């Protein structure tokens, strides 16, 4: 360990935790695990409450520029029912322009999981900035990003609270009607990027049978819809072998949970 790591940034010696036996370490881990599981259950309950939030109708028509030209907010859904739209700062005046986007927004982009998993849950993820499409295409190629990324051309950012700071808006499409269902920004955006975190802020959630969702919401058997990101097929039945594997795993998990101390 280097002297700087040993002493910390302040130059003071690090006050390290005690070193204990394997048995004591396991006991400490089990004690913390109780709180971690409580947090997980609380997070699930919060997502369930989020799915019951009221919706706000989007009455104004918004226009964006995509790789193929002008597109509407409705077009961004790509035929799916849910849209997660992240406002990334990449434009003149942003630190790093034109070689880079905002460092924070770039960190968010670096964390985005393969969008095929979201698409399989009827959800589209899109990034939006004010930079022209040519600059966005160059930036994506340089950074290895593949998510859809459009150019804001009107007051969308101001109307949805992302004109001065990054943020994630969630929308639901009912036919051609669009509703705003959720919004998160500031430190809330730090957790974004993973498939589960995106689904947990959508009105339909993960769409698995264990979730507490309003009556009539789409739900399918837990785990069964999962697949490799290059193997999703629309309306395909779950792979029989995967069903066997996931059933066995879920049964083992349920048995372990049933044996846990209250």
């Amino acid at each position: 360990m280097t002297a700087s790591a040993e002493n910390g940034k302040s130059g003071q010696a690090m006050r390290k935790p005690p070193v204990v036996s394997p048995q004591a370490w396991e006991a400490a881990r089990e004690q913390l695990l109780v709180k971690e599981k409580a947090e997980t259950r609380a997070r699930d309950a919060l997502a369930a409450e989020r799915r019951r939030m009221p919706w706000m109708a989007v009455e104004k028509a918004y226009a964006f520029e995509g790789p193929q030209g002008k597109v509407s907010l409705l077009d961004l859904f790509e035929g799916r029912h849910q849209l997660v739209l992240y406002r990334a700062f990449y434009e003149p005046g942003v630190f790093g322009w034109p070689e880079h986007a905002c460092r924070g927004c770039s960190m968010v982009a670096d964390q985005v999981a393969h969008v095929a998993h979201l698409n399989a849950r009827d959800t589209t993820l899109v990034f939006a900035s004010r930079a022209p499409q040519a600059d966005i295409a160059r930036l994506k190629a340089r950074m290895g990003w593949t998510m859809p990324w459009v150019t804001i051309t009107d007051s969308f950012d101001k109307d949805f609270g992302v004109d001065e700071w990054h943020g994630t808006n969630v929308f639901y499409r009912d036919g051609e009607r669009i509703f705003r269902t959720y919004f998160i920004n500031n430190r809330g955006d730090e957790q974004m990027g993973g498939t589960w975190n995106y689904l947990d802020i959508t009105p339909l959630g993960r769409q698995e049978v264990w979730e507490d969702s309003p009556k009539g919401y789409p739900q399918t058997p837990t785990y069964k819809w999962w697949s490799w990101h290059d193997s999703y097929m629309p309306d395909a039945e779950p792979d029989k072998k995967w069903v066997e594997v996931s059933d066995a795993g879920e049964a083992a998990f349920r048995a372990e949970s049933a044996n846990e101390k209250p």
Side-chain angles (χ1 to χ4, degrees), residues 160-235:
F160 289 95
V162 288
D163 55 326
E164 296 181 357
W165 197 246
H166 60 84
T168 303
N169 278 281
V170 183
F171 301 94
Y172 183 85
R173 178 184 66 83
D174 185 2
E176 294 193 354
R177 296 196 68 193
I178 299 174
F179 302 90
R180 188 191 195 192
T181 65
Y182 191 65
F183 174 65
I184 192 168
N185 63 0
N186 296 323
R187 287 197 64 195
D189 270 341
E190 290 181 0
Q191 64 178 325
M192 292 296 102
T195 300
W196 306 124
N197 286 332
Y198 280 129
L199 290 178
D200 282 348
I201 66 171
T202 65
L204 299 183
R206 304 184 187 193
Q207 304 162 53
E208 295 185 337
V209 294
W210 64 270
E211 285 183 301
D212 175 12
S213 292
K215 184 178 180 179
Y217 275 42
Q219 290 185 314
T220 59
T222 306
Y223 309 138
K224 304 304 183 290
W225 64 273
W226 297 7
S227 191
W228 299 288
H229 74 247
D230 64 347
S231 300
Y232 284 110
M233 298 289 290
D235 302 318

Side-chain angles (χ1 to χ4, degrees), residues 12-125:
Q12 297 179 354
M14 292 174 58
R15 184 175 297 177
K16 306 180 187 70
V19 176
V20 299
S21 68
Q23 294 79 10
W25 185 90
E26 188 63 33
R29 190 191 75 88
E30 290 290 341
Q31 186 176 11
L32 185 60
L33 187 60
V34 173
K35 296 181 180 179
E36 290 175 336
K37 289 189 175 183
E39 181 185 17
T40 297
R41 296 185 184 101
R43 189 168 61 245
D44 290 340
L46 187 60
E49 185 175 349
R50 191 181 293 121
R51 289 190 287 277
R52 290 167 170 82
M53 272 190 58
W55 295 358
M56 184 192 80
V58 178
E59 305 291 359
K60 184 176 178 179
Y62 292 96
F64 303 85
E65 285 290 333
Q68 308 304 320
K70 184 176 179 180
V71 290
S72 66
L73 181 60
L74 186 64
D75 293 329
L76 299 187
F77 285 81
E78 296 182 347
R80 303 182 182 95
H81 283 96
Q82 301 190 129
L83 171 66
V84 178
L85 187 52
Y86 176 72
R87 198 303 197 209
F89 276 83
Y90 178 50
E91 59 200 58
V94 172
F95 177 70
W97 172 266
E99 289 79 14
H100 283 292
C102 157
R103 287 185 174 180
C105 296
S106 297
M107 286 187 70
V108 172
D110 279 336
Q111 297 177 82
V112 172
H114 203 291
V115 297
H117 303 295
L118 289 174
N119 297 164
R121 291 280 90 177
D122 200 15
T123 304
T124 301
L125 173 69

